Amino acid sequence: MARRSYKIDLGCIACDELTEIGAGKSGWLVDNPNLLCAIDTHSLALANRSSILLILSWSDSNASRVMVRPELSPIEAEFISAIEWFVLDDVSVVVAGTSCGYLLVFSLRGELIHRQMIYPGRVLKLRVRGTKKDLIQDTSSEEFCVIMPGVVARFDGSDIQNMLHKWFEEEYSQIWVQKPKSQDSEDFENQYVKLPYQLWNIGKYAAFILGQSSQRYYCAVAVGEDAVISAYRLSEDKGRSLVGELLSKVVPAAFSTVASFSKLIWRSEQTSPKKSPKKSEEKPQPFARASPLTCFKDHPRKGEKLTLSPSGTLAAITDSLGRILLLDTQALVVVRLWKGYRDASCLFMEMLVNKDTTSSSSNHYEPVKSDYCLCLAIHAPRKGIIEIWQMRTGPRLRTIPCAKGSKMLQPTYRVGASTSSAPYVPLEVFFLNGDSGVISVLSRTLDS
């Protein structure tokens, strides 16, 4: 009997453009800490410090590949530090965060759609999250979060949607109109309308917003160097703590002074006709209030990575001692612990558990949300395996061999996706084998 594979190959990303990103030797995908990956259901974005490669269809070898080279500040040694897809029903764009706190939005043709300063500092992660209205959830909400060391910013998803729709409408309206010549860098910078957002300071931690607990507060859970887990209540109002008040005044002032001095030196020493991107002198907005709820410290252990379930009620946290903690984010209690998983990464996924339904006499049955159970996929690269555990306290369902040099990925949340008539799309986990270039998806069934 042939051995069953629990991974389904979808396509291959091998192309000449990968060499510009750093491909060419074994382990290139996982050994380079500056290499970033973001996946959509049919597309992939790869980035190094200065370039972004968009592979728009891995199942088609003739599909277009787009290389994006953002204008970054050489005087500040600015580089790309985070990337993520932002997907609407009919529009997909790539969002990049930089080491200087800028947010850059690009079309699939590499055009810069939006540029905005969030806060002076390195962007660590970009995250799209949403909750759909259903029988349990009374309202739906969608948000885009920018996570930085000690700072988290939240954009309302509708504001980004409106900006993108307006840009594409204007772009399509100019199809038969001759486009204007390239603008001066200062005019180019000033054409972007600032999107509103909320900003919080959370000390030394990297926080992930869980959701809105009331009309005025959000909840956030964080990991950091001197704590495994921290939790905060984030206020929507502009009342600020003393620390927030000081940081909102001192840090922007210091940044503005350094930026002005840097520009002075750069202009005096500039010999090339090419202009550097002009940095806005706009000060970051004041912090809203962030109140600590709890903090779990266990020196020398520190939290490293944090992954949230779709509803935000569970968080999987990896620490520096090779342990994985499953946190109930509402009760702020660790409900499960795994040991011996150094360098592991985790993603939540959904798998079919109702065999009677899936093997129904009807050949056209589409599984619904209740047919799936929430699971946690753990990629243990040192062991060369993927383990799938049923949540919250269920057994290990599968152990799947995984090739060395692979990375576990998950498509971003699709903003504005219709749920009325379309079949339910479960949360899936993809794998990219860097050495072979093959992309595969974990099977969503538990059949033997």
Side-chain angles (χ1 to χ4, degrees):
M1 179 181 291
R3 184 178 180 181
R4 176 166 182 174
S5 174
Y6 295 102
K7 291 189 294 184
I8 304 171
D9 292 344
L10 301 176
C12 184
I13 67 166
C15 60
D16 295 337
E17 291 84 354
L18 283 176
T19 57
E20 296 187 47
I21 299 296
K25 62 179 181 179
S26 178
W28 67 274
L29 183 66
V30 295
D31 293 341
N32 183 359
N34 295 315
L35 185 65
L36 308 170
C37 298
I39 195 172
D40 188 21
T41 51
H42 297 92
S43 305
L44 183 74
L46 296 165
N48 56 18
R49 293 172 66 92
S50 59
S51 304
I52 304 173
L53 173 62
L54 305 180
I55 300 175
L56 301 183
S57 178
W58 56 62
S59 59
D60 183 3
S61 59
N62 297 320
S64 60
R65 273 78 169 168
V66 179
M67 186 66 74
V68 183
R69 295 181 174 85
E71 290 190 47
L72 305 172
S73 170
I75 195 64
E76 297 177 27
E78 186 178 18
F79 60 90
I80 301 168
S81 57
I83 58 170
E84 186 56 276
W85 290 91
F86 191 91
V87 183
L88 302 175
D89 282 336
D90 54 348
V91 172
S92 296
V93 297
V94 173
V95 186
T98 77
S99 59
C100 292
Y102 277 84
L103 199 65
L104 311 176
V105 182
F106 295 96
S107 72
L108 298 187
R109 293 183 296 183
E111 302 160 305
L112 182 60
I113 297 175
H114 186 73
R115 175 188 179 92
Q116 182 170 338
M117 159 62 96
I118 306 302
Y119 190 80
R122 178 178 178 177
V123 176
L124 298 176
K125 190 174 180 63
L126 303 170
R127 182 171 181 264
V128 185
R129 180 181 178 273
T131 55
K132 297 297 184 184
K133 184 176 180 179
D134 54 27
L135 295 177
I136 300 176
Q137 188 77 21
D138 294 333
T139 59
S140 61
S141 64
E142 295 166 328
E143 63 189 20
F144 181 83
C145 293
V146 181
I147 300 161
M148 310 170 74
V151 173
V152 59
R154 179 192 178 277
F155 291 81
D156 193 281
S158 61
D159 292 328
I160 300 180
Q161 288 186 63
N162 294 336
M163 180 269 292
L164 291 177
H165 283 309
K166 181 179 179 181
W167 187 89
F168 279 101
E169 287 174 0
E170 293 177 352
E171 187 71 10
Y172 293 149
S173 68
Q174 296 179 6
I175 291 179
W176 303 107
V177 180
Q178 184 177 3
K179 291 187 178 183
K181 296 182 179 180
S182 59
Q183 297 172 301
D184 181 76
S185 60
E186 183 172 357
D187 296 333
F188 191 66
E189 179 80 16
N190 293 335
Q191 71 176 335
Y192 304 114
V193 177
K194 181 179 178 181
L195 296 176
Y197 63 96
Q198 297 160 293
L199 191 69
W200 295 277
N201 173 266
I202 51 167
K204 298 179 287 185
Y205 308 114
F208 293 73
I209 296 179
L210 307 177
Q212 195 166 13
S213 59
S214 69
Q215 293 184 351
R216 296 188 57 194
Y217 296 103
Y218 294 90
C219 293
V221 64
V223 295
E225 293 186 1
D226 62 346
V228 181
I229 304 168
S230 299
Y232 292 84
R233 185 177 67 177
L234 309 179
S235 173
E236 280 196 283
D237 61 35
K238 300 303 179 183
R240 301 190 298 275
S241 63
L242 178 60
V243 174
E245 182 73 28
L246 291 174
L247 287 173
S248 66
K249 294 181 180 298
V250 175
V251 175
F255 176 76
S256 178
T257 302
V258 173
S260 301
F261 183 67
S262 299
K263 290 176 186 176
L264 182 62
I265 297 177
W266 175 246
R267 288 172 180 170
S268 63
E269 295 182 355
Q270 186 178 19
T271 57
S272 172
K274 183 179 179 181
K275 296 182 180 181
S276 63
K278 182 180 178 65
K279 299 293 183 184
S280 172
E281 295 184 1
E282 178 187 6
K283 295 181 180 179
Q285 69 183 43
F287 290 118
R289 180 176 299 163
S291 305
L293 297 176
T294 187
C295 184
F296 172 50
K297 297 186 178 183
D298 185 18
H299 183 78
R301 181 158 53 124
K302 63 180 180 180
E304 292 185 336
K305 303 174 187 175
L306 188 152
T307 303
L308 289 175
S309 66
S311 63
T313 57
L314 290 176
I317 301 167
T318 61
D319 66 23
S320 57
L321 298 183
R323 291 186 279 190
I324 301 172
L325 293 80
L326 185 65
L327 176 72
D328 183 323
T329 59
Q330 295 179 325
L332 297 177
V333 173
V334 175
V335 296
R336 196 161 188 175
L337 178 68
W338 293 266
K339 297 182 179 180
Y341 290 85
R342 288 190 179 273
D343 301 327
S345 57
C346 303
L347 287 174
F348 287 94
M349 63 180 298
E350 293 173 314
M351 301 192 72
L352 282 171
V353 293
N354 194 333
K355 294 184 180 180
D356 294 336
T357 300
T358 57
S359 60
S360 172
S361 57
S362 172
N363 295 327
H364 303 288
Y365 177 80
E366 290 288 349
V368 296
K369 184 177 177 64
S370 59
D371 294 328
Y372 294 90
C373 71
L374 184 65
C375 301
L376 182 67
I378 302 175
H379 178 209
R382 295 196 180 190
K383 299 179 180 181
I385 59 173
I386 312 157
E387 294 181 349
I388 302 176
W389 295 78
Q390 187 172 350
M391 298 289 98
R392 297 185 170 189
T393 56
R396 179 172 57 190
L397 303 174
R398 288 286 177 264
T399 299
I400 307 170
C402 182
K404 185 179 180 181
S406 298
K407 181 169 287 192
M408 188 165 64
L409 302 169
Q410 192 165 65
T412 185
Y413 174 86
R414 302 180 76 86
V415 176
S418 174
T419 58
S420 57
S421 59
Y424 178 71
V425 179
L427 198 62
E428 295 182 303
V429 168
F430 291 73
F431 258 81
L432 172 59
N433 186 329
D435 295 344
S436 67
V438 174
I439 287 185
S440 56
V441 63
L442 294 186
S443 174
R444 65 180 66 167
T445 64
L446 295 179
D447 299 334
S448 299

